Amino acid sequence: MTQTNPIRDPEDETRRPVSPTGGRTGMRLIVPLQGVVQGRGGLILGSLIPCALFYFLQFYLKRHRSPPPPASPSSSNLPELARTSSRSNLTSRGSMGQARVSSRASSIAKPNDSPYYIGLDRASEDAYDELENPNGVIQLGLSENRLSLDLIEQWLSRNLNGSILGGGGGGLSMSGIATYQAFDDGLWELKVAMAGFMSQIMGRAVSFNPSQLVLTSGATPAIEILCFCLADPGHAFLIPTPYYPGFDRDVRWRTGVELIPVHCRSSDNFTLSITALDQAYNQVRKRGQKVRGILLSNPSNPVGSILTRETLYNLLDFARDKNIHIISDEIFAGSIYGSEEFVSMAEILDSEDVDRNRVHIVYGLSKDLSLPGFRVGAIYSWNEHVLTASKQLTRFCSISAPTQRLLIPMLSDTRFTQEYIETNRKRIQSMYDLFVAGLEQLGIKCAKSSGGLYCWADMRELIRPYNEKGELDLWDKLLNIAKINVTPGSACHCIEPGWFRCCFTTLSKKDIPLVIERIRKVVETCKPPS
Amino acid sequence: MAIEIEQPRVGLSKIAVSKTHGEDSPYFAGWKAYDENPYEEFGNPSGVIQMGLAENQVSFDMLEDYLEQHSEEASWGKKASGFRENALFQDYHGLQFFRKAMASFMEQIRGGRAKFNPDRVVITAGATAANELLTFILADPGDALLVPTPYYPGFDRDLRWRTGVNIVPIHCDSSNNFQVTPQALEAAYKSAESMNIKVRGVLITNPSNPLGVTIHRSTLEHILDFVTLKNIHLVSDEIYSGSVFSPTEFTSVAEILQWRNYKDCERVHIVYSLSKDLGLPGFRVGTIYSYNDQVVTTARRMSSFTLISSQTQQLLGLMLSDEKFTGNYITKNRDRLRNRYEKMISGLRNAGVECLEGNAGLFCWVNLSPLLESQTRESELAVWDLILHRVKLNISPGSSCHCSEPGWFRVCFANMSEKTLEVALKRIQIFMEERKIKSD
């Protein structure tokens, strides 16, 4: 059996406890020794001498064991990625003269085997088009909102004559762009406009201070920046499941931070329980790992539920008790339907005299304003240190100047934004109603939800066997036979198999009967024989 | 009276509290002084003139004219659904048409001496992000990149902060005009080895910042041979490639690879951006061009953290596809930069100040060592401070660029009007005269 130095082989290190290299050799000597001594020595010699020899041996071996690894950042970083990277994957290792990439890169370069990404690729390669490709894949796996872009187009044609440049006649001629460093984290006018927009989105129940905003090229880097600021490699965030598959990448890839799932179940509509949070927290601590915070999405993705005021208070109490952070991703805050009101973490902090240094909100324009291409995200925090560090980090992910210039007048046009927000909500509501009713016709119920661009469909009765494999079989049938791309719950780390996220805001009303019909065909083949 | 209860401080990461962002260095301190008292021709004629910002403002008018003349075609796309598609486009591959335009622009800059495949272009929000991304991909925490000194102060932050990667300097000095020598390369590599640090690559800036010179073809070839021998990577930051005063004096590593039939090219990666050559730093347009498929794939995925706005891609795609415009722009921009440089050099010479013979970039590498009391970093900083507060010019001390020889300064000339440059040169002349009088 080969003796591997536990430190040099990261896979081994995480699977077996580190054993002193001397252990095995020691045993091999003791056993024959004892036999020999017992044969001749009598009680004292038979027990004392072997014991003494044993201790002597251990002592000798301890002193000559290979020294522990230097406490350099290189060996202890990224235990998560090291586990999956597997040195054997570095294909260039075998071939002569090919410079290798880092272990971080190797793990990412492997083809994405998550159904979330596979489905997205298939749907875009064979995209449905009513005229050009009627048998193509209909995309229900991308939470994109196509329902209200016409409103933005109208605004653009009214205000900019349909031009691509903002800022009135030649977007280049303003002084703001000339200075380089000052505006990595967003032009002041855009921050003011964004703060106002966020307040409108959240029903004007809270006002946002522009100087607490840091703007980034999308919500994706906003999340990553917060993780870089709040945690070191090897630290963990607790996250309720099911969660947005992208978090696995955004939170973990380059930061080395871990995500610890806190499972939620359908029995209480996937509500987050503080007890479950507490249990997860304690388990992590027992392992000797540090929990740095909780990551939530509210409205939740993929379930679409909204956190109640009470839950928000409880979460704050919990965070205060454990002295950890809360990151509240509120990117769907404006995409609410139904009668439940959305309460932002900011609203709670506003009213309570609480320690605000631990709460950070993420927002963006990709969902509520349907502009994912423009790359507009935001971090909102009360923590001065986090704000300072985040601002400096935006040099790696700033919003492009013409886009800032275009959005300032648009977001400042509060009449337009108010009309947009209201109309958009109504449209999402009516698509939701139609889609969920259509699914019900097939006997598929959805979890209760009040926000987001999707519904969380219960197809547990249609999968066989009742496990992840059964779920993926159904996903596969839906993708390849029904030609519908939906996101299976396992990609969202849902503990119960059989749930699927279906985004309906990429459809138009007339597409719905077609979608339902296609799903019906597959559903019929899954129903148990009566 | 309320009693202040000390709240337990909630923890932050090492990255958040580290000083690796380098904001305390003189490079940034000078900017603060400028921000507090900025020169304005009429409003504040005795204010600080910013000569520490490597920005190109000499050719802005050409861009503005172009956009004015083409405002009709500056649309969201050919189809009626142009805006809609653009607004929804968040594919990390980037717009195909934009990548093609970037590739052809890079070819034009190199006079057609190198070909670029649009499918190897990865988009990032600026070269800052491109350099950081490549570092994440090519090296693990604790590893090192070898970088010739003097180098752009921002590298300390961009290459090291979040990545945990080290920079090991390749020392260059004035004895051979700061060119990289085989001995210096080898010495740097050995130095890393002796510290038990794994070297993953060499990162060069060509043309060089802060030197303002292009790297000789023979030096490039040697560097290429060196990285091949050591089986490491080469990153060539060619962000100033369009700012070379004469078209024939720049050799890109891409040309050499093409000439060598792309042998061993998978270790080479080029960084480019429109911030300098087109004077559009606010647009945040950077690219990684890699000859390594795995790096291209990985960089694409990682670029999710740093994509370019689809609106900007569309706009610039239109502009850069217009080869007549770009050809004309490149030529005129070169000429204007050369004129500025010549004005700068003659003004400095009249004041009795020498500089390195430059042929590219937006700055001069100026030798003020005669002014130093002792050839030390402290003396250099004293002179820097004097020039900042007495002469009211913000220039960048060589020590912030990790130059091993004290007394050198980077002085930018393209981020101001010609008039302002004249004022700055006058101030230098007066200052030098005063010193001469004092010492006589």
Side-chain angles (χ1 to χ4, degrees):
Chain A
M1 162 169 345
T2 43
Q3 286 280 345
T4 48
N5 179 336
I7 308 306
R8 257 191 255 121
D9 187 343
E11 286 205 10
D12 260 351
E13 181 186 17
T14 51
R15 287 197 197 133
R16 296 200 303 256
V18 176
S19 56
T21 24
R24 291 201 185 91
T25 9
M27 284 316 290
R28 274 194 233 122
L29 278 177
I30 293 297
V31 172
L33 249 183
Q34 267 196 325
V36 164
V37 174
Q38 273 169 357
R40 282 190 285 162
L43 194 60
I44 291 182
L45 291 178
S47 51
L48 242 163
I49 290 179
C51 282
L53 281 170
F54 182 78
Y55 288 124
F56 231 92
L57 192 62
Q58 288 298 318
F59 181 64
Y60 171 87
L61 289 166
K62 254 200 189 110
R63 288 185 66 197
H64 292 265
R65 196 192 307 161
S66 50
S72 72
S74 47
S75 53
S76 55
N77 269 353
L78 311 174
E80 261 299 278
L81 287 170
R83 204 180 289 157
T84 53
S85 85
S86 167
R87 297 286 156 131
S88 56
N89 264 336
L90 295 169
T91 52
S92 21
R93 207 170 206 217
S95 56
M96 285 284 290
Q98 271 211 29
R100 287 166 28 213
V101 295
S102 66
S103 4
R104 269 185 289 224
S106 310
S107 68
I108 299 166
K110 285 189 304 193
N112 277 306
D113 43 15
S114 157
Y116 177 64
Y117 295 104
I118 294 178
L120 287 180
D121 284 344
R122 273 293 307 279
S124 71
E125 284 159 19
D126 183 17
Y128 168 80
D129 183 283
E130 201 185 337
L131 301 166
E132 312 270 324
N133 190 16
N135 290 323
V137 177
I138 299 185
Q139 175 70 285
L140 300 182
L142 190 57
S143 69
E144 223 175 51
N145 182 358
R146 296 191 193 171
L147 306 177
S148 307
L149 280 163
D150 57 315
L151 300 174
I152 303 185
E153 270 176 310
Q154 282 164 25
W155 185 92
L156 284 174
S157 87
R158 273 200 312 270
N159 291 278
L160 297 175
N161 288 327
S163 160
I164 195 174
L165 283 172
L172 294 178
S173 54
M174 2 68 213
S175 52
I177 290 187
T179 340
Y180 202 159
Q181 291 293 28
F183 306 116
D184 278 339
D185 61 319
L187 292 169
W188 176 251
E189 298 98 299
L190 182 57
K191 287 190 187 181
V192 171
M194 227 6 207
F197 183 69
M198 284 166 73
S199 175
Q200 264 188 310
I201 284 275
M202 307 198 193
R204 295 202 196 277
V206 59
S207 72
F208 291 90
N209 180 351
S211 53
Q212 286 170 246
L213 264 179
V214 170
L215 302 182
T216 58
S217 57
T220 300
I223 300 261
E224 201 203 26
I225 282 181
L226 280 174
C227 292
F228 268 117
C229 288
L230 305 179
D232 288 321
H235 289 166
F237 277 92
L238 302 176
I239 184 166
T241 69
Y243 63 81
Y244 160 55
F247 280 154
D248 285 326
R249 170 200 62 191
D250 301 347
V251 172
R252 295 172 37 205
W253 267 14
R254 307 193 296 186
T255 62
V257 170
E258 248 189 83
L259 276 177
I260 306 290
V262 179
H263 292 297
C264 304
R265 291 170 164 74
S266 58
S267 45
D268 57 357
N269 203 53
F270 298 97
T271 309
L272 176 61
S273 101
I274 300 290
T275 320
L277 208 57
D278 200 36
Q279 273 173 357
Y281 178 88
N282 290 330
Q283 270 177 349
V284 176
R285 297 288 293 155
K286 247 191 237 156
R287 287 209 300 265
Q289 195 177 15
K290 257 207 190 101
V291 174
R292 270 304 172 82
I294 307 167
L295 171 59
L296 319 153
S297 61
N298 179 30
S300 143
N301 179 4
V303 178
S305 51
I306 292 179
L307 292 175
T308 62
R309 212 177 274 271
E310 197 190 329
T311 311
L312 291 173
Y313 278 117
N314 292 339
L315 280 167
L316 258 179
D317 284 340
F318 180 82
R320 200 177 352 194
D321 185 42
K322 310 293 184 200
N323 194 20
I324 59 178
H325 295 272
I326 297 178
I327 300 178
S328 183
D329 181 355
E330 303 187 349
I331 201 176
F332 291 100
S335 304
I336 304 288
Y337 39 84
S339 51
E340 242 186 290
E341 63 153 345
F342 171 74
V343 180
S344 163
M345 261 293 178
E347 207 184 312
I348 304 291
L349 289 192
D350 229 20
S351 56
E352 286 276 295
D353 192 20
V354 295
D355 171 19
R356 301 190 167 94
N357 279 327
R358 63 182 77 258
V359 177
H360 322 277
I361 295 178
V362 170
Y363 190 64
L365 299 183
S366 301
K367 313 292 178 187
D368 291 345
L369 202 56
S370 320
L371 301 173
F374 285 12
R375 313 312 302 146
V376 181
I379 294 171
Y380 190 83
S381 177
W382 288 259
N383 188 316
E384 281 307 318
H385 299 288
V386 172
L387 285 175
T388 306
S390 303
K391 280 187 185 143
Q392 287 157 8
L393 286 170
T394 58
R395 62 191 358 103
F396 300 113
C397 53
S398 305
I399 303 178
S400 188
T403 305
Q404 298 197 44
R405 281 291 153 185
L406 181 73
L407 289 173
I408 289 168
M410 193 193 289
L411 295 180
S412 307
D413 185 346
T414 48
R415 244 186 63 186
F416 161 72
T417 50
Q418 193 56 37
E419 199 195 304
Y420 176 93
I421 292 170
E422 284 167 10
T423 313
N424 185 41
R425 279 208 192 122
K426 289 201 188 96
R427 292 180 182 181
I428 298 179
Q429 170 90 70
S430 66
M431 284 301 286
Y432 171 80
D433 290 340
L434 269 174
F435 192 77
V436 168
L439 286 180
E440 275 214 45
Q441 281 170 22
L442 304 176
I444 299 173
K445 288 206 154 47
C446 294
K448 174 174 173 299
S449 59
S450 328
L453 308 175
Y454 37 75
C455 58
W456 188 233
D458 182 357
M459 302 197 201
R460 288 176 292 175
E461 292 179 3
L462 302 175
I463 65 173
R464 209 157 299 109
Y466 181 66
N467 59 21
E468 187 177 322
K469 183 177 181 305
E471 176 187 285
L472 291 176
D473 281 346
L474 177 57
W475 169 75
D476 191 83
K477 281 205 193 104
L478 288 169
L479 181 62
N480 291 305
I481 300 175
K483 299 292 205 78
I484 305 269
N485 177 43
V486 290
T487 308
S490 49
C492 306
H493 303 270
C494 187
I495 190 105
E496 293 175 16
W499 292 87
F500 289 81
R501 186 190 77 168
C502 311
C503 303
F504 49 78
T505 50
T506 47
L507 304 170
S508 57
K509 285 196 175 148
K510 61 178 165 61
D511 294 327
I512 294 189
L514 171 62
V515 171
I516 301 296
E517 201 37 52
R518 286 192 185 187
I519 299 180
R520 176 195 301 281
K521 291 206 177 72
V522 166
V523 165
E524 317 239 280
T525 66
C526 296
K527 288 225 166 84
S530 46
Chain B
M1 189 166 89
I3 300 169
E4 279 259 3
I5 299 174
E6 173 102 8
Q7 300 284 358
R9 290 262 305 274
V10 60
L12 294 180
S13 67
K14 295 197 180 86
I15 283 178
V17 301
S18 89
K19 298 274 180 203
T20 321
H21 53 77
E23 300 266 310
D24 317 328
S25 84
Y27 184 66
F28 299 102
W31 286 3
K32 284 194 195 120
Y34 165 76
D35 282 339
E36 286 160 12
N37 182 19
Y39 169 83
E40 264 164 63
E41 195 183 333
F42 301 111
N44 188 17
S46 60
V48 175
I49 298 180
Q50 173 66 286
M51 302 188 90
L53 186 60
E55 243 181 40
N56 181 359
Q57 289 173 21
V58 309
S59 303
F60 225 41
D61 58 307
M62 287 196 273
L63 297 172
E64 282 180 316
D65 287 344
Y66 178 85
L67 286 167
E68 217 173 299
Q69 285 155 23
H70 294 85
S71 57
E72 299 264 312
E73 299 114 76
S75 68
W76 292 96
K78 296 204 172 72
K79 300 190 269 186
S81 57
F83 166 72
R84 170 178 283 259
E85 284 180 18
N86 186 275
L88 293 172
F89 185 83
Q90 54 174 329
D91 183 348
Y92 57 40
H93 286 80
L95 280 176
Q96 160 82 337
F97 132 88
F98 172 69
R99 280 186 284 124
K100 261 177 107 172
M102 279 299 283
S104 96
F105 187 63
M106 287 168 74
E107 282 175 4
Q108 263 192 315
I109 284 180
R110 291 157 183 73
R113 298 185 298 272
K115 288 235 148 300
F116 290 96
N117 175 357
D119 291 335
R120 291 194 171 281
V121 172
V122 177
I123 62 167
T124 62
T128 302
N131 280 319
E132 197 205 28
L133 219 109
L134 273 174
T135 307
F136 268 119
I137 292 174
L138 304 179
D140 286 310
D143 292 343
L145 292 177
L146 305 182
V147 183
T149 67
Y151 61 76
Y152 162 57
F155 279 159
D156 285 329
R157 169 200 61 207
D158 301 347
L159 305 180
R160 300 185 319 161
W161 193 6
R162 297 195 289 190
T163 60
V165 171
N166 299 301
I167 294 177
V168 171
I170 302 170
H171 292 293
C172 304
D173 58 64
S174 58
S175 60
N176 69 340
N177 290 327
F178 296 95
Q179 287 279 327
V180 174
T181 64
Q183 296 81 0
L185 264 175
E186 192 63 53
Y189 190 89
K190 285 214 166 68
S191 154
E193 267 186 338
S194 72
M195 295 188 278
N196 260 328
I197 296 178
K198 202 189 273 180
V199 175
R200 296 310 279 266
V202 173
L203 189 146
I204 57 177
T205 309
N206 179 27
S208 156
N209 176 8
L211 300 176
V213 286
T214 55
I215 301 184
H216 293 153
R217 189 188 176 102
S218 54
T219 311
L220 278 176
E221 289 188 346
H222 184 84
I223 296 175
L224 252 178
D225 293 337
F226 178 82
V227 300
T228 309
L229 181 69
K230 302 290 187 193
N231 192 20
I232 58 180
H233 295 272
L234 174 62
V235 176
S236 181
D237 184 344
E238 303 190 349
I239 197 180
Y240 293 100
S241 47
S243 307
V244 183
F245 306 151
S246 148
T248 51
E249 290 191 25
F250 171 62
T251 305
S252 162
V253 72
E255 292 172 50
I256 301 182
L257 287 178
Q258 193 162 297
W259 190 72
R260 290 182 176 190
N261 276 325
Y262 300 108
K263 185 167 179 296
D264 285 321
C265 66
E266 313 84 32
R267 60 186 73 259
V268 180
H269 324 278
I270 296 176
V271 168
Y272 187 58
S273 155
L274 299 180
S275 301
K276 311 296 178 184
D277 293 344
L278 277 188
L280 298 174
F283 279 45
R284 312 314 300 140
V285 178
T287 63
I288 294 172
Y289 187 89
S290 175
Y291 295 91
N292 182 317
D293 292 343
Q294 191 183 16
V295 172
V296 171
T297 308
T298 313
R300 279 243 168 79
R301 295 208 175 117
M302 245 193 229
S303 68
S304 307
F305 296 109
T306 181
L307 293 175
I308 304 176
S309 165
S310 49
Q311 172 201 15
T312 302
Q313 293 186 51
Q314 176 69 18
L315 176 62
L316 292 179
L318 286 170
M319 197 168 77
L320 296 180
S321 303
D322 185 340
E323 295 197 357
K324 220 179 100 194
F325 165 73
T326 51
N328 184 42
Y329 178 93
I330 292 170
T331 311
K332 280 223 178 85
N333 184 47
R334 271 196 195 124
D335 290 340
R336 291 179 184 185
L337 287 175
R338 187 180 56 246
N339 287 339
R340 278 289 175 104
Y341 171 77
E342 280 165 4
K343 201 185 189 96
M344 177 86 169
I345 291 259
S346 77
L348 288 174
R349 290 223 173 97
N350 285 342
V353 176
E354 284 303 316
C355 16
L356 188 70
E357 187 78 30
N359 64 350
L362 313 174
F363 32 73
C364 285
W365 188 234
V366 174
N367 186 3
L368 293 178
S369 55
L371 298 180
L372 265 56
E373 271 189 31
S374 57
Q375 296 303 308
T376 61
R377 186 170 173 267
E378 289 69 32
S379 274
E380 178 186 283
L381 289 176
V383 169
W384 167 76
D385 196 76
L386 186 69
I387 295 182
L388 179 62
H389 291 108
R390 269 270 299 279
V391 191
K392 301 271 181 36
L393 299 177
N394 177 36
I395 61 180
S396 310
S399 48
S400 62
C401 306
H402 300 273
C403 186
S404 47
E405 274 178 38
W408 292 86
F409 290 77
R410 187 190 78 170
V411 185
C412 300
F413 54 71
N415 62 310
M416 61 193 76
S417 68
E418 259 195 79
K419 270 226 182 86
T420 310
L421 181 60
E422 282 165 17
V423 172
L425 289 170
K426 195 85 183 114
R427 288 186 187 180
I428 296 175
Q429 262 168 8
I430 294 173
F431 170 70
M432 292 299 287
E433 270 167 25
E434 280 175 0
R435 279 197 80 111
K436 202 155 169 279
I437 291 170
K438 266 205 204 132
S439 61
D440 280 347

